[in-house]
Amino acid sequence: MFDHIGLRVADLAAVRRFYTHALAPLGFVPGPAGDDYAGFGPPDAPALWLHQAATPGAAHVALRAASRDAVARFHAAALAAGGRNNGAPGPRPDYGATYYAAFVIDPEGNNLEAVCMTAA
């Protein structure tokens, strides 16, 4: 769980489009936005913030998914939106007995993960 995470990005418009599509299967939606920032999260509770920056930096962000199907839909949506595969949906027994996740690299090089901790 996290309260919020901020990612510094070089191309806010492109990354905002990517996250709009990639996060929809997880139930996260665009929130407040301005010329140099954009928020995403559950409705009325943004927790992922994108900030326009001259010097972006890569990060790892893991987001909870309600089901294994949501993990798979996230992965497909993120790839369709321009992300790069960094780990197909599947169990990760070395992380935990019920750990099921998928990983993508966003347009700025950040590693984005969707994870479901419930048994199949």
Side-chain angles (χ1 to χ4, degrees):
M1 179 185 312
F2 63 89
D3 179 68
H4 70 278
I5 292 176
L7 301 178
R8 296 164 30 123
V9 303
D11 188 342
L12 181 62
V15 177
R16 186 174 182 198
R17 281 189 303 275
F18 170 82
Y19 278 93
T20 296
H21 294 288
L23 298 180
L26 302 179
F28 301 128
V29 298
D35 290 340
D36 61 353
Y37 70 93
F40 292 87
D44 301 318
L48 175 62
W49 294 92
L50 307 175
H51 303 277
Q52 183 78 42
T55 56
H60 172 80
V61 178
L63 301 166
R64 286 191 183 144
S67 67
R68 291 179 175 203
D69 180 61
V71 170
R73 289 184 290 117
F74 152 82
H75 190 257
L79 294 179
R84 289 181 290 126
N85 180 38
N86 197 31
R92 303 293 193 277
D94 50 324
Y95 295 169
T98 60
Y99 204 105
Y100 189 91
F103 303 83
V104 295
I105 303 297
D106 78 6
E108 295 280 337
N110 297 298
N111 185 40
L112 186 61
E113 172 185 2
V115 59
C116 177
M117 301 286 207
T118 60

